[in-house]
Amino acid sequence: MLRQEPHAVLPQSSVNEQARQDFLNQLGKHVLNEITPGNTAAYQRRVLPKIKAEKGRDPESRHEIRKEMVRDPYYQMTSSFQRTVQEMMWNSVDDTIQRQLPDLIATAKTIRDGDTLGSLHLEPDFEIPSYVADNDHHCMPGGYSGDLVDDDITAGALYDKGAFIYTQGLFGPRMDGIGKAAALMIATSFPDLRPNKILEIGCTAGGSTTGLKSAFPDAELHAIDVGPAVLRYAHARAESMGVAIHFHQMNGEAMTFEDEGFDLVNCPASFHEMSRSAVYNVFKEAHRVLKPGGVFLLSELPPYEGVDPWTQFVRDWDTYNNNEPFWGAVHEMDFADVAEAAGFNRNDYWQGNGPGIAEANQLTGAVEVQNKKFMGSTRGGGQAWYAHMTKRES
Ligand SMILES: C[S@@+](CC[C@H](N)C(=O)[O-])C[C@H]1O[C@@H](n2cnc3c(N)ncnc32)[C@H](O)[C@@H]1O
């Protein structure tokens, strides 16, 4: 079984805790791969004929399907299994963290107070936007904004360790696959871009951030998030890996960075956890802080456009069952419209599959050196990541 690479603040599981977490990992896989596919038969045999009989046609949207599927006993059972495994998984990780929390906090503080490669900037009076503060995204206890004790790092530790289990190790032993995939997409699409200064919006525990930095080792990298505990953790984690990153508590909707300061802005897997108006505001801010000719890249799961209503319904499970209230709305947003409203030229907007995450995980050094190995490949090597890219006019 793939294990997460240790670092100074990664909570260490005892033998019993590891057994519990491994069990939940396998149970999650089993439920997803062996039990939830039975919903297709439930739909075909019971729900679709009912919709057809009532409406005299096939369902036109995932919403019509959901209205009937939520009454189906098989779907109720599988949803309950999925949700329960998710909650059990977070609880198992939280137990491991709480057992060693004072030590983890002390380690993070010692790192912070020593000679550091990067930096950490927290704002005591910072107002966390309600779409983050009022919601425990993907059922993570306390969400991203949790900050319960002095110098808390729990939210960062929960995300780092829990998301590794939750994603079945998809992002690699360093949890940095999203950042590496972003770097590969940039290197493939803008081979002449040599970013000196990079901004990442929505860094959480810093997994994507360290991946991006490993691919652009000479660039100055700034990363922002709104949660203080995720940022404390991300900073200590990056420092303990010997990676120089400047972390800031800042809202991507209203950043304090000066105009035209960055060559590249990356927003990895974060828009699906923002409100609609926040997505528009972050795009505007990305445009403002980019140098002319600079690139904005955002990665998400593929949009719903062009996908049949049943598949949309299946992929929309998180919106209603996993505390991801913006998931469905963001996956049907037209980012070309959003980019244009933010000041980008519509003709400079591109979207499509990026490299497979498993491929990206193999990137072990500067992206310029190794990208050829990955170029030309889209879906190979595991689940593909989807990118939206746009460039500020020169
Ligand atoms: C799914 S996580 C990102 C995962 C991370 N990039 C990784 O690869 O591990 C989304 C993050 O976006 C942050 N976020 C949400 N709204 C934000 C905003 N307006 N400004 C900055 N960060 C924000 C959340 O606090 C959360 O940490």
Side-chain angles (χ1 to χ4, degrees):
M1 190 173 292
L2 184 67
R3 292 283 182 232
Q4 202 167 352
E5 190 178 300
H7 55 75
V9 283
L10 183 71
Q12 294 303 307
S13 303
S14 67
V15 172
N16 284 347
E17 288 165 350
Q18 190 64 61
R20 181 179 168 202
Q21 287 151 8
D22 286 349
F23 166 73
L24 289 167
N25 177 329
Q26 292 302 313
L27 184 61
K29 231 186 243 180
H30 181 75
V31 168
L32 202 64
N33 298 336
E34 309 298 333
I35 299 182
T36 60
N39 280 308
T40 308
Y43 176 60
Q44 297 287 354
R45 286 192 203 135
R46 291 189 291 271
V47 173
L48 184 58
K50 184 161 182 267
I51 296 175
K52 278 184 164 172
E54 276 173 11
K55 299 198 184 291
R57 57 164 171 78
D58 281 326
E60 285 172 350
S61 72
R62 65 180 185 276
H63 305 293
E64 283 184 359
I65 295 175
R66 193 186 65 255
K67 231 174 118 210
E68 293 303 329
M69 278 300 283
V70 292
R71 292 183 207 167
D72 188 85
Y74 192 86
Y75 184 69
Q76 289 172 352
M77 178 191 74
T78 62
S79 277
S80 165
F81 278 175
Q82 280 181 273
R83 169 75 180 223
T84 305
V85 173
Q86 180 79 332
E87 292 182 4
M88 287 167 76
M89 183 282 294
W90 289 120
N91 290 343
S92 77
V93 174
D94 201 29
D95 283 353
T96 300
I97 296 169
Q98 296 312 317
R99 182 175 54 73
Q100 52 205 297
L101 187 60
D103 290 344
L104 292 171
I105 288 176
T107 304
K109 201 162 178 307
T110 305
I111 291 174
R112 208 156 60 234
D113 293 344
D115 289 336
T116 54
L117 301 163
S119 56
L120 174 67
H121 308 270
L122 298 181
E123 306 296 331
D125 298 322
F126 187 81
E127 195 179 328
I128 297 181
S130 59
Y131 51 85
V132 177
D134 298 348
N135 187 54
D136 288 359
H137 286 280
H138 39 64
C139 303
M140 187 171 94
Y144 296 112
S145 59
D147 190 27
L148 295 177
V149 293
D150 284 350
D151 295 319
D152 199 7
I153 51 89
T154 304
L158 264 174
Y159 187 85
D160 194 16
K161 201 169 170 75
F164 181 79
I165 300 174
Y166 168 28
T167 59
Q168 315 277 351
L170 178 70
F171 303 133
R174 277 192 161 207
M175 288 293 285
D176 58 1
I178 301 183
K180 289 176 175 177
L184 285 171
M185 286 184 251
I186 293 294
T188 308
S189 310
F190 302 94
D192 297 332
L193 185 77
R194 294 278 178 275
N196 291 320
K197 212 169 156 192
I198 302 178
L199 168 64
E200 185 175 276
I201 300 174
C203 61
T204 321
S208 48
T209 332
T210 48
L212 196 58
K213 175 73 178 172
S214 67
F216 296 113
D218 300 326
E220 180 180 307
L221 210 163
H222 294 259
I224 70 164
D225 207 290
V226 293
V230 295
L231 286 161
R232 285 186 204 105
Y233 181 89
H235 175 251
R237 173 187 173 278
E239 292 290 333
S240 89
M241 290 176 163
V243 184
I245 296 166
H246 304 284
F247 291 95
H248 309 258
Q249 188 174 21
M250 211 184 277
N251 186 341
E253 294 186 70
M255 296 189 276
T256 54
F257 296 121
E258 61 179 18
D259 294 356
E260 303 187 0
F262 292 95
D263 302 289
L264 170 64
V265 175
N266 180 39
C267 188
S270 297
F271 275 124
H272 68 267
E273 291 180 345
M274 293 183 199
S275 68
R276 186 181 168 82
S277 64
V279 171
Y280 275 85
N281 291 338
V282 172
F283 254 88
K284 269 194 203 125
E285 279 292 88
H287 184 267
R288 181 184 68 75
V289 302
L290 272 176
K291 291 178 188 167
V295 172
F296 179 41
L297 179 146
L298 73 99
S299 44
E300 283 294 338
L301 290 170
Y304 290 165
E305 194 191 349
V307 174
D308 66 273
W310 167 251
T311 309
Q312 283 191 31
F313 162 76
V314 171
R315 285 174 38 194
D316 211 35
W317 183 85
D318 295 73
T319 308
Y320 298 92
N321 301 287
N322 197 23
N323 287 4
E324 293 283 4
F326 309 108
W327 182 278
V330 166
H331 283 103
E332 61 188 4
M333 271 177 103
D334 185 338
F335 284 114
D337 282 350
V338 186
E340 193 169 44
F344 293 98
N345 187 326
R346 203 179 181 89
N347 297 328
D348 290 329
Y349 169 81
W350 176 91
Q351 63 171 310
N353 283 312
I357 291 285
E359 279 181 288
N361 285 343
Q362 293 171 42
L363 185 70
T364 53
V367 72
E368 299 84 52
V369 182
Q370 299 198 5
N371 67 353
K372 286 195 176 57
K373 194 171 156 195
F374 299 94
M375 279 163 76
S377 163
T378 53
R379 294 204 76 95
Q383 186 170 340
W385 207 240
Y386 199 84
H388 302 258
M389 284 190 248
T390 183
K391 189 175 160 192
R392 186 170 168 165
E393 280 176 298
S394 303

